[in-house]
């Protein structure tokens, strides 16, 4: 049974979330001390975190960064402020997905299902992918190039995996969205752009940032020549 930590300061919303997720067979715990969210996380050891941004004491951005330092557990951000800046900030701090309030519970469940499958099935049966000296470990999401390495989030690793598996070919944005979230109808296209930008930045840090080429209006492709 998957365990989900709900970090939401509105008791009515938190309770409704716990009841709905419980119907799907997921175990939940509500954070009740918003000064000690990290300690609650360490004690409960959840498989996924639902994290509201508008929290007392320290906001959700603070806790997103803190939890990401501790773990690669998927983090789904909940917020009433669904603007692009909040999206960019949340993803840059390590969030895996984003849902603006008010939201449909079916949409939330679909996102949780996709995150759990992607996070805990990722890399099953395989160890690594290599193209042009760039290697992605499917076990832990580490990218290596030229003797250097960087740690990728689940989203970033999945994007790189899709590109490595299709060298020289354009992987359409729609295909990447399906690979990451398993469906297209609930996803803001900007979420993919933010994740690709973050992946490029990390690869640039190990000397491989130029290998992802944008095909305008289509998607992205891996340029092996840039890895030589």
């Amino acid at each position: 049974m998957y365990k989900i930590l709900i970090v939401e300061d509105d008791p009515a919303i938190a309770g409704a979330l716990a009841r709905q997720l419980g119907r799907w067979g997921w175990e939940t715990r509500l954070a009740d001390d918003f000064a000690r969210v990290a300690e609650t996380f360490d004690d409960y050891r959840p498989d996924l975190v639902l994290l509201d941004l508008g929290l007392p004491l320290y906001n959700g951005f603070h806790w997103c960064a803190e939890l990401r330092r501790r773990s690669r557990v998927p983090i789904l951000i909940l917020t009433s402020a669904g603007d692009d800046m909040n999206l960019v900030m949340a993803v840059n701090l390590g969030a895996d997905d984003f849902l603006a309030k008010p939201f449909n519970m079916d949409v939330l469940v679909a996102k949780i299902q996709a995150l759990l499958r992607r996070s805990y099935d990722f890399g099953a049966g395989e160890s690594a992918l290599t193209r042009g000296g760039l290697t992605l470990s499917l076990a832990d999401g580490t990218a290596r190039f030229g003797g250097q390495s960087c740690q990728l989030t689940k989203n970033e690793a999945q994007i790189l995996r899709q590109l490595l598996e299709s060298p020289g070919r354009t992987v359409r944005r729609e295909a990447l969205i399906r690979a990451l979230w398993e469906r297209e109808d609930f996803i803001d296209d900007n979420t993919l752009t933010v994740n690709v930008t973050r992946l490029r930045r990390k690869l640039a840090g190990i000397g491989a940032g130029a290998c992802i080429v944008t095909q305008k209006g289509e998607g992205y492709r891996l340029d092996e020549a840039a890895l030589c």
Side-chain angles (χ1 to χ4, degrees), residues 6-22:
I6 300 172
V7 188
E8 164 63 64
D9 64 321
D10 185 317
I13 295 176
L17 288 170
R19 289 190 296 274
Q20 177 68 20
L21 301 187

Side-chain angles (χ1 to χ4, degrees), residues 1-4 21-22 24-28 44-47 116:
M1 179 186 296
Y2 288 115
K3 300 193 299 182
I4 298 176
L21 301 187
W24 283 85
W26 295 318
E27 178 185 320
T28 61
Y44 188 48
R45 301 184 61 151
D47 300 297
L116 290 172

